[in-house]
PDB file of all heavy atoms in Angstrom:
ATOM      1  N   ALA U   1       0.842  -1.196   0.000  1.00 91.00           N
ATOM      2  CA  ALA U   1       0.000   0.000   0.000  1.00 91.00           C
ATOM      3  C   ALA U   1       0.880   1.250   0.000  1.00 91.00           C
ATOM      4  O   ALA U   1       1.734   1.401   0.880  1.00 91.00           O
ATOM      5  CB  ALA U   1      -0.909   0.001   1.226  1.00 91.00           C
ATOM      6  N   PRO U   2       0.729   2.142  -0.974  1.00 91.00           N
ATOM      7  CA  PRO U   2       1.618   3.298  -1.079  1.00 91.00           C
ATOM      8  C   PRO U   2       1.580   4.226   0.132  1.00 91.00           C
ATOM      9  O   PRO U   2       2.574   4.883   0.440  1.00 91.00           O
ATOM     10  CB  PRO U   2       1.126   4.013  -2.350  1.00 91.00           C
ATOM     11  CG  PRO U   2      -0.256   3.513  -2.576  1.00 91.00           C
ATOM     12  CD  PRO U   2      -0.265   2.108  -2.062  1.00 91.00           C
ATOM     13  N   GLU U   3       0.425   4.245   0.830  1.00 90.00           N
ATOM     14  CA  GLU U   3       0.343   5.129   2.004  1.00 90.00           C
ATOM     15  C   GLU U   3       1.237   4.644   3.150  1.00 90.00           C
ATOM     16  O   GLU U   3       1.490   5.388   4.107  1.00 90.00           O
ATOM     17  CB  GLU U   3      -1.103   5.267   2.482  1.00 90.00           C
ATOM     18  CG  GLU U   3      -1.777   3.973   2.904  1.00 90.00           C
ATOM     19  CD  GLU U   3      -2.490   3.267   1.772  1.00 90.00           C
ATOM     20  OE1 GLU U   3      -2.220   3.590   0.590  1.00 90.00           O
ATOM     21  OE2 GLU U   3      -3.322   2.387   2.068  1.00 90.00           O
ATOM     22  N   LYS U   4       1.722   3.418   3.065  1.00 89.00           N
ATOM     23  CA  LYS U   4       2.597   2.889   4.115  1.00 89.00           C
ATOM     24  C   LYS U   4       4.048   3.301   3.914  1.00 89.00           C
ATOM     25  O   LYS U   4       4.876   3.109   4.804  1.00 89.00           O
ATOM     26  CB  LYS U   4       2.524   1.354   4.148  1.00 89.00           C
ATOM     27  CG  LYS U   4       1.173   0.782   4.516  1.00 89.00           C
ATOM     28  CD  LYS U   4       1.228  -0.727   4.684  1.00 89.00           C
ATOM     29  CE  LYS U   4       2.057  -1.123   5.897  1.00 89.00           C
ATOM     30  NZ  LYS U   4       2.016  -2.587   6.133  1.00 89.00           N
ATOM     31  N   ILE U   5       4.360   3.845   2.742  1.00 91.00           N
ATOM     32  CA  ILE U   5       5.747   4.110   2.373  1.00 91.00           C
ATOM     33  C   ILE U   5       6.052   5.601   2.348  1.00 91.00           C
ATOM     34  O   ILE U   5       5.273   6.393   1.840  1.00 91.00           O
ATOM     35  CB  ILE U   5       6.063   3.529   0.976  1.00 91.00           C
ATOM     36  CG1 ILE U   5       5.779   2.034   0.946  1.00 91.00           C
ATOM     37  CG2 ILE U   5       7.510   3.808   0.585  1.00 91.00           C
ATOM     38  CD1 ILE U   5       6.728   1.201   1.750  1.00 91.00           C
ATOM     39  N   SER U   6       7.187   5.964   2.913  1.00 91.00           N
ATOM     40  CA  SER U   6       7.741   7.311   2.805  1.00 91.00           C
ATOM     41  C   SER U   6       9.216   7.217   3.165  1.00 91.00           C
ATOM     42  O   SER U   6       9.650   6.218   3.755  1.00 91.00           O
ATOM     43  CB  SER U   6       7.016   8.287   3.740  1.00 91.00           C
ATOM     44  OG  SER U   6       7.425   8.072   5.081  1.00 91.00           O
ATOM     45  N   PRO U   7      10.020   8.228   2.840  1.00 91.00           N
ATOM     46  CA  PRO U   7      11.427   8.201   3.252  1.00 91.00           C
ATOM     47  C   PRO U   7      11.586   8.043   4.757  1.00 91.00           C
ATOM     48  O   PRO U   7      12.470   7.317   5.228  1.00 91.00           O
ATOM     49  CB  PRO U   7      11.954   9.551   2.766  1.00 91.00           C
ATOM     50  CG  PRO U   7      11.088   9.896   1.601  1.00 91.00           C
ATOM     51  CD  PRO U   7       9.731   9.389   1.979  1.00 91.00           C
ATOM     52  N   HIS U   8      10.713   8.691   5.518  1.00 88.00           N
ATOM     53  CA  HIS U   8      10.847   8.628   6.973  1.00 88.00           C
ATOM     54  C   HIS U   8      10.456   7.253   7.509  1.00 88.00           C
ATOM     55  O   HIS U   8      11.017   6.787   8.504  1.00 88.00           O
ATOM     56  CB  HIS U   8      10.000   9.723   7.631  1.00 88.00           C
ATOM     57  CG  HIS U   8      10.658  10.306   8.844  1.00 88.00           C
ATOM     58  ND1 HIS U   8      11.890  10.923   8.809  1.00 88.00           N
ATOM     59  CD2 HIS U   8      10.258  10.352  10.145  1.00 88.00           C
ATOM     60  CE1 HIS U   8      12.217  11.322  10.023  1.00 88.00           C
ATOM     61  NE2 HIS U   8      11.254  10.992  10.854  1.00 88.00           N
ATOM     62  N   VAL U   9       9.500   6.598   6.864  1.00 90.00           N
ATOM     63  CA  VAL U   9       9.126   5.240   7.279  1.00 90.00           C
ATOM     64  C   VAL U   9      10.307   4.291   7.075  1.00 90.00           C
ATOM     65  O   VAL U   9      10.572   3.421   7.913  1.00 90.00           O
ATOM     66  CB  VAL U   9       7.888   4.765   6.490  1.00 90.00           C
ATOM     67  CG1 VAL U   9       7.689   3.264   6.665  1.00 90.00           C
ATOM     68  CG2 VAL U   9       6.635   5.502   6.972  1.00 90.00           C
ATOM     69  N   LEU U  10      11.040   4.467   5.977  1.00 91.00           N
ATOM     70  CA  LEU U  10      12.214   3.627   5.741  1.00 91.00           C
ATOM     71  C   LEU U  10      13.315   3.916   6.764  1.00 91.00           C
ATOM     72  O   LEU U  10      14.032   3.013   7.195  1.00 91.00           O
ATOM     73  CB  LEU U  10      12.732   3.836   4.321  1.00 91.00           C
ATOM     74  CG  LEU U  10      11.860   3.208   3.224  1.00 91.00           C
ATOM     75  CD1 LEU U  10      12.252   3.735   1.852  1.00 91.00           C
ATOM     76  CD2 LEU U  10      11.950   1.695   3.260  1.00 91.00           C
ATOM     77  N   ARG U  11      13.445   5.167   7.155  1.00 86.00           N
ATOM     78  CA  ARG U  11      14.406   5.529   8.208  1.00 86.00           C
ATOM     79  C   ARG U  11      14.002   4.868   9.531  1.00 86.00           C
ATOM     80  O   ARG U  11      14.837   4.362  10.277  1.00 86.00           O
ATOM     81  CB  ARG U  11      14.461   7.053   8.341  1.00 86.00           C
ATOM     82  CG  ARG U  11      15.345   7.599   9.469  1.00 86.00           C
ATOM     83  CD  ARG U  11      15.421   9.111   9.319  1.00 86.00           C
ATOM     84  NE  ARG U  11      15.757   9.807  10.549  1.00 86.00           N
ATOM     85  CZ  ARG U  11      17.005  10.046  10.963  1.00 86.00           C
ATOM     86  NH1 ARG U  11      18.022   9.605  10.258  1.00 86.00           N
ATOM     87  NH2 ARG U  11      17.215  10.721  12.086  1.00 86.00           N
ATOM     88  N   HIS U  12      12.695   4.886   9.815  1.00 86.00           N
ATOM     89  CA  HIS U  12      12.200   4.222  11.028  1.00 86.00           C
ATOM     90  C   HIS U  12      12.458   2.723  10.971  1.00 86.00           C
ATOM     91  O   HIS U  12      12.820   2.104  11.977  1.00 86.00           O
ATOM     92  CB  HIS U  12      10.697   4.474  11.202  1.00 86.00           C
ATOM     93  CG  HIS U  12      10.360   5.867  11.624  1.00 86.00           C
ATOM     94  ND1 HIS U  12      11.096   6.567  12.551  1.00 86.00           N
ATOM     95  CD2 HIS U  12       9.340   6.692  11.262  1.00 86.00           C
ATOM     96  CE1 HIS U  12      10.560   7.762  12.725  1.00 86.00           C
ATOM     97  NE2 HIS U  12       9.498   7.856  11.958  1.00 86.00           N
ATOM     98  N   ALA U  13      12.256   2.132   9.786  1.00 87.00           N
ATOM     99  CA  ALA U  13      12.498   0.696   9.640  1.00 87.00           C
ATOM    100  C   ALA U  13      13.970   0.371   9.871  1.00 87.00           C
ATOM    101  O   ALA U  13      14.308  -0.618  10.531  1.00 87.00           O
ATOM    102  CB  ALA U  13      12.060   0.234   8.250  1.00 87.00           C
ATOM    103  N   PHE U  14      14.848   1.203   9.347  1.00 85.00           N
ATOM    104  CA  PHE U  14      16.294   1.049   9.562  1.00 85.00           C
ATOM    105  C   PHE U  14      16.601   1.009  11.061  1.00 85.00           C
ATOM    106  O   PHE U  14      17.293   0.108  11.556  1.00 85.00           O
ATOM    107  CB  PHE U  14      17.010   2.231   8.891  1.00 85.00           C
ATOM    108  CG  PHE U  14      18.419   2.490   9.362  1.00 85.00           C
ATOM    109  CD1 PHE U  14      19.475   1.754   8.855  1.00 85.00           C
ATOM    110  CD2 PHE U  14      18.678   3.494  10.291  1.00 85.00           C
ATOM    111  CE1 PHE U  14      20.787   2.010   9.272  1.00 85.00           C
ATOM    112  CE2 PHE U  14      19.972   3.747  10.715  1.00 85.00           C
ATOM    113  CZ  PHE U  14      21.033   3.004  10.201  1.00 85.00           C
ATOM    114  N   ALA U  15      16.058   1.964  11.810  1.00 83.00           N
ATOM    115  CA  ALA U  15      16.341   2.056  13.239  1.00 83.00           C
ATOM    116  C   ALA U  15      15.704   0.902  14.013  1.00 83.00           C
ATOM    117  O   ALA U  15      16.340   0.288  14.879  1.00 83.00           O
ATOM    118  CB  ALA U  15      15.823   3.395  13.775  1.00 83.00           C
ATOM    119  N   THR U  16      14.450   0.595  13.696  1.00 83.00           N
ATOM    120  CA  THR U  16      13.733  -0.459  14.416  1.00 83.00           C
ATOM    121  C   THR U  16      14.383  -1.813  14.207  1.00 83.00           C
ATOM    122  O   THR U  16      14.582  -2.577  15.159  1.00 83.00           O
ATOM    123  CB  THR U  16      12.261  -0.508  13.950  1.00 83.00           C
ATOM    124  OG1 THR U  16      11.659   0.771  14.138  1.00 83.00           O
ATOM    125  CG2 THR U  16      11.482  -1.542  14.736  1.00 83.00           C
ATOM    126  N   HIS U  17      14.750  -2.122  12.986  1.00 84.00           N
ATOM    127  CA  HIS U  17      15.330  -3.427  12.691  1.00 84.00           C
ATOM    128  C   HIS U  17      16.743  -3.565  13.256  1.00 84.00           C
ATOM    129  O   HIS U  17      17.140  -4.659  13.669  1.00 84.00           O
ATOM    130  CB  HIS U  17      15.311  -3.676  11.183  1.00 84.00           C
ATOM    131  CG  HIS U  17      13.931  -3.749  10.612  1.00 84.00           C
ATOM    132  ND1 HIS U  17      13.653  -3.711   9.261  1.00 84.00           N
ATOM    133  CD2 HIS U  17      12.717  -3.861  11.240  1.00 84.00           C
ATOM    134  CE1 HIS U  17      12.348  -3.794   9.075  1.00 84.00           C
ATOM    135  NE2 HIS U  17      11.759  -3.874  10.271  1.00 84.00           N
ATOM    136  N   LEU U  18      17.489  -2.457  13.318  1.00 80.00           N
ATOM    137  CA  LEU U  18      18.801  -2.503  13.968  1.00 80.00           C
ATOM    138  C   LEU U  18      18.650  -2.774  15.462  1.00 80.00           C
ATOM    139  O   LEU U  18      19.402  -3.560  16.046  1.00 80.00           O
ATOM    140  CB  LEU U  18      19.552  -1.187  13.757  1.00 80.00           C
ATOM    141  CG  LEU U  18      20.328  -1.017  12.449  1.00 80.00           C
ATOM    142  CD1 LEU U  18      20.985   0.353  12.409  1.00 80.00           C
ATOM    143  CD2 LEU U  18      21.376  -2.104  12.283  1.00 80.00           C
ATOM    144  N   LEU U  19      17.676  -2.116  16.080  1.00 77.00           N
ATOM    145  CA  LEU U  19      17.459  -2.297  17.515  1.00 77.00           C
ATOM    146  C   LEU U  19      17.012  -3.728  17.803  1.00 77.00           C
ATOM    147  O   LEU U  19      17.448  -4.342  18.784  1.00 77.00           O
ATOM    148  CB  LEU U  19      16.411  -1.299  18.012  1.00 77.00           C
ATOM    149  CG  LEU U  19      16.313  -1.116  19.531  1.00 77.00           C
ATOM    150  CD1 LEU U  19      17.620  -0.571  20.089  1.00 77.00           C
ATOM    151  CD2 LEU U  19      15.168  -0.183  19.892  1.00 77.00           C
ATOM    152  N   GLU U  20      16.162  -4.270  16.950  1.00 78.00           N
ATOM    153  CA  GLU U  20      15.739  -5.668  17.095  1.00 78.00           C
ATOM    154  C   GLU U  20      16.936  -6.616  17.017  1.00 78.00           C
ATOM    155  O   GLU U  20      16.963  -7.659  17.667  1.00 78.00           O
ATOM    156  CB  GLU U  20      14.734  -6.034  16.001  1.00 78.00           C
ATOM    157  CG  GLU U  20      13.370  -5.387  16.161  1.00 78.00           C
ATOM    158  CD  GLU U  20      12.461  -5.685  14.979  1.00 78.00           C
ATOM    159  OE1 GLU U  20      12.878  -6.431  14.065  1.00 78.00           O
ATOM    160  OE2 GLU U  20      11.338  -5.162  14.969  1.00 78.00           O
ATOM    161  N   GLY U  21      17.918  -6.227  16.221  1.00 74.00           N
ATOM    162  CA  GLY U  21      19.100  -7.061  16.053  1.00 74.00           C
ATOM    163  C   GLY U  21      20.130  -6.908  17.155  1.00 74.00           C
ATOM    164  O   GLY U  21      21.184  -7.536  17.102  1.00 74.00           O
ATOM    165  N   GLY U  22      19.843  -6.045  18.141  1.00 75.00           N
ATOM    166  CA  GLY U  22      20.730  -5.914  19.290  1.00 75.00           C
ATOM    167  C   GLY U  22      21.650  -4.715  19.262  1.00 75.00           C
ATOM    168  O   GLY U  22      22.579  -4.620  20.077  1.00 75.00           O
ATOM    169  N   THR U  23      21.426  -3.767  18.351  1.00 73.00           N
ATOM    170  CA  THR U  23      22.276  -2.580  18.286  1.00 73.00           C
ATOM    171  C   THR U  23      22.130  -1.732  19.545  1.00 73.00           C
ATOM    172  O   THR U  23      21.025  -1.530  20.053  1.00 73.00           O
ATOM    173  CB  THR U  23      21.909  -1.724  17.050  1.00 73.00           C
ATOM    174  OG1 THR U  23      22.091  -2.508  15.885  1.00 73.00           O
ATOM    175  CG2 THR U  23      22.766  -0.473  16.968  1.00 73.00           C
ATOM    176  N   ASP U  24      23.249  -1.229  20.054  1.00 71.00           N
ATOM    177  CA  ASP U  24      23.254  -0.366  21.228  1.00 71.00           C
ATOM    178  C   ASP U  24      22.549   0.956  20.908  1.00 71.00           C
ATOM    179  O   ASP U  24      22.680   1.507  19.816  1.00 71.00           O
ATOM    180  CB  ASP U  24      24.706  -0.094  21.659  1.00 71.00           C
ATOM    181  CG  ASP U  24      24.774   0.801  22.884  1.00 71.00           C
ATOM    182  OD1 ASP U  24      24.639   0.288  23.999  1.00 71.00           O
ATOM    183  OD2 ASP U  24      24.959   2.018  22.697  1.00 71.00           O
ATOM    184  N   LEU U  25      21.797   1.480  21.889  1.00 70.00           N
ATOM    185  CA  LEU U  25      21.021   2.698  21.678  1.00 70.00           C
ATOM    186  C   LEU U  25      21.912   3.894  21.359  1.00 70.00           C
ATOM    187  O   LEU U  25      21.551   4.759  20.552  1.00 70.00           O
ATOM    188  CB  LEU U  25      20.161   2.992  22.917  1.00 70.00           C
ATOM    189  CG  LEU U  25      18.928   3.888  22.687  1.00 70.00           C
ATOM    190  CD1 LEU U  25      17.981   3.256  21.688  1.00 70.00           C
ATOM    191  CD2 LEU U  25      18.218   4.139  24.012  1.00 70.00           C
ATOM    192  N   ARG U  26      23.079   3.967  21.988  1.00 77.00           N
ATOM    193  CA  ARG U  26      24.006   5.073  21.724  1.00 77.00           C
ATOM    194  C   ARG U  26      24.546   5.010  20.298  1.00 77.00           C
ATOM    195  O   ARG U  26      24.740   6.031  19.644  1.00 77.00           O
ATOM    196  CB  ARG U  26      25.166   5.037  22.720  1.00 77.00           C
ATOM    197  CG  ARG U  26      24.798   5.499  24.118  1.00 77.00           C
ATOM    198  CD  ARG U  26      24.534   6.984  24.161  1.00 77.00           C
ATOM    199  NE  ARG U  26      24.226   7.433  25.524  1.00 77.00           N
ATOM    200  CZ  ARG U  26      23.868   8.680  25.829  1.00 77.00           C
ATOM    201  NH1 ARG U  26      23.762   9.580  24.869  1.00 77.00           N
ATOM    202  NH2 ARG U  26      23.595   9.011  27.080  1.00 77.00           N
ATOM    203  N   VAL U  27      24.803   3.804  19.823  1.00 73.00           N
ATOM    204  CA  VAL U  27      25.259   3.640  18.446  1.00 73.00           C
ATOM    205  C   VAL U  27      24.160   4.078  17.489  1.00 73.00           C
ATOM    206  O   VAL U  27      24.412   4.780  16.499  1.00 73.00           O
ATOM    207  CB  VAL U  27      25.648   2.168  18.178  1.00 73.00           C
ATOM    208  CG1 VAL U  27      25.944   1.951  16.697  1.00 73.00           C
ATOM    209  CG2 VAL U  27      26.852   1.774  19.018  1.00 73.00           C
ATOM    210  N   LEU U  28      22.925   3.687  17.795  1.00 72.00           N
ATOM    211  CA  LEU U  28      21.791   4.063  16.959  1.00 72.00           C
ATOM    212  C   LEU U  28      21.615   5.584  16.943  1.00 72.00           C
ATOM    213  O   LEU U  28      21.326   6.170  15.891  1.00 72.00           O
ATOM    214  CB  LEU U  28      20.519   3.385  17.473  1.00 72.00           C
ATOM    215  CG  LEU U  28      19.276   3.499  16.582  1.00 72.00           C
ATOM    216  CD1 LEU U  28      19.546   2.928  15.201  1.00 72.00           C
ATOM    217  CD2 LEU U  28      18.094   2.780  17.235  1.00 72.00           C
ATOM    218  N   GLN U  29      21.818   6.228  18.072  1.00 77.00           N
ATOM    219  CA  GLN U  29      21.726   7.686  18.146  1.00 77.00           C
ATOM    220  C   GLN U  29      22.722   8.328  17.186  1.00 77.00           C
ATOM    221  O   GLN U  29      22.399   9.280  16.464  1.00 77.00           O
ATOM    222  CB  GLN U  29      22.009   8.157  19.577  1.00 77.00           C
ATOM    223  CG  GLN U  29      21.995   9.682  19.723  1.00 77.00           C
ATOM    224  CD  GLN U  29      22.510  10.141  21.086  1.00 77.00           C
ATOM    225  OE1 GLN U  29      22.973   9.327  21.898  1.00 77.00           O
ATOM    226  NE2 GLN U  29      22.440  11.442  21.353  1.00 77.00           N
TER     227      GLN U  29
END
């Protein structure tokens, strides 16, 4: 669905999936 997609949603996905994988919060910052 196109309404689910935006540049910021992909940025959120990048951050969420890294955190799920165990990335440290400071590194993510």
Side-chain angles (χ1 to χ4, degrees):
E3 60 270 17
K4 296 187 68 175
I5 303 290
S6 75
H8 216 59
V9 167
L10 287 166
R11 176 172 157 87
H12 287 320
F14 161 82
T16 303
H17 296 167
L18 276 179
L19 194 62
E20 289 175 3
T23 300
D24 180 83
L25 202 60
R26 286 290 182 185
V27 172
L28 189 58
Q29 177 190 5

